Amino acid sequence: MYAVIALFDVVLEQRIKKIWEELESNGVSYYAREVEDRVPHITLASYKEVSLTHFIHEMETFYRNMGKVQVNFQTVGSFINTPTLFYSPTVTKELIELHSSHHRHFASFNNDEESLYLPDKWVPHCTLANRLSKEKLQEAYSYCLKISEKLEGEINRIGLIRIDSSKHAPVIYSKSLIEL
């Protein structure tokens, strides 16, 4: 399986990693350690299978002149019936356009009609913890509500990850976005 992900600037990435580490050091979640190659991100699309050479060429071409997107996380949330905690960015016109333009351009690659990342199903989010008991979900939620520093920055790269197993999801390609 493959996923196209929006990657953050170094400062925002480090802030989210710090939250992962603090949740782990408090015995709440081991999310950061569960997957060796995990990086903070917002998933834009997923694919069961792709022709890598062709897909990467398309990514290189499509994202060549794409601009960076500002993100501001102001919401802590969880999916119903899923013990996952996440930060949700403010849904801006630029974020929606990034997502929808990707799906328009890469429509021929869509081979997973059940994907939760399709335009009519997408809930943009950056996962903080998952596979939590009800008690741990409450602890993680309470912890995140106490964070007073702003979580904002920019999406400055687009990446392609290959999900090899439950323990590996390396970024196999990334493309920097330009300053507009």
Side-chain angles (χ1 to χ4, degrees):
M1 184 170 169
Y2 297 88
V4 174
I5 59 175
L7 297 162
F8 308 127
D9 64 81
V10 173
V11 172
L12 180 55
E13 180 177 300
Q14 290 307 313
R15 283 186 174 160
I16 293 169
K17 283 183 174 181
K18 181 180 174 201
I19 293 167
W20 289 353
E21 291 165 5
E22 289 176 1
L23 288 170
E24 181 173 339
S25 69
N26 289 317
V28 177
S29 169
Y30 301 93
Y31 179 74
R33 193 175 359 141
E34 290 172 348
V35 175
E36 189 175 304
D37 316 297
R38 183 166 278 152
V39 291
H41 65 275
I42 297 171
T43 302
L44 298 175
S46 65
Y47 304 95
K48 289 180 181 175
E49 193 60 47
V50 295
S51 165
L52 273 182
T53 306
H54 181 58
F55 195 85
I56 289 172
H57 173 75
E58 284 297 315
M59 285 185 72
E60 183 67 34
T61 302
F62 179 71
Y63 286 104
R64 179 173 292 136
N65 296 314
M66 186 78 62
K68 296 176 182 181
V69 175
Q70 296 300 309
V71 287
N72 182 356
F73 293 94
Q74 294 188 21
T75 305
V76 178
S78 182
F79 293 113
I80 296 173
N81 297 320
T82 304
T84 299
L85 186 72
F86 57 81
Y87 277 130
S88 186
T90 301
V91 179
T92 62
K93 181 175 67 172
E94 293 79 14
L95 184 60
I96 292 296
E97 182 55 30
L98 173 66
H99 181 256
S100 60
S101 65
H102 174 91
H103 280 274
R104 279 191 305 272
H105 186 84
F106 290 89
S108 66
F109 292 95
N110 185 22
N111 54 15
D112 185 2
E113 293 300 321
E114 300 302 313
S115 172
L116 296 175
Y117 305 104
L118 293 171
D120 291 338
K121 298 178 182 179
W122 188 54
V123 176
H125 67 281
C126 178
T127 302
L128 301 172
N130 66 1
R131 298 184 194 95
L132 300 170
S133 67
K134 232 180 229 188
E135 294 76 24
K136 294 293 184 186
L137 180 61
Q138 289 172 342
E139 282 182 54
Y141 186 76
S142 293
Y143 169 80
C144 290
L145 288 178
K146 293 175 187 171
I147 296 172
S148 60
E149 65 187 75
K150 286 186 176 184
L151 281 170
E152 60 186 9
E154 63 186 15
I155 294 169
N156 67 356
R157 293 168 289 134
I158 299 297
L160 176 65
I161 60 173
R162 180 179 56 233
I163 302 156
D164 294 331
S165 68
S166 61
K167 297 284 184 192
H168 297 283
V171 175
I172 58 173
Y173 168 81
S174 69
K175 174 74 176 160
S176 294
L177 301 178
I178 62 172
E179 199 72 47
L180 291 179

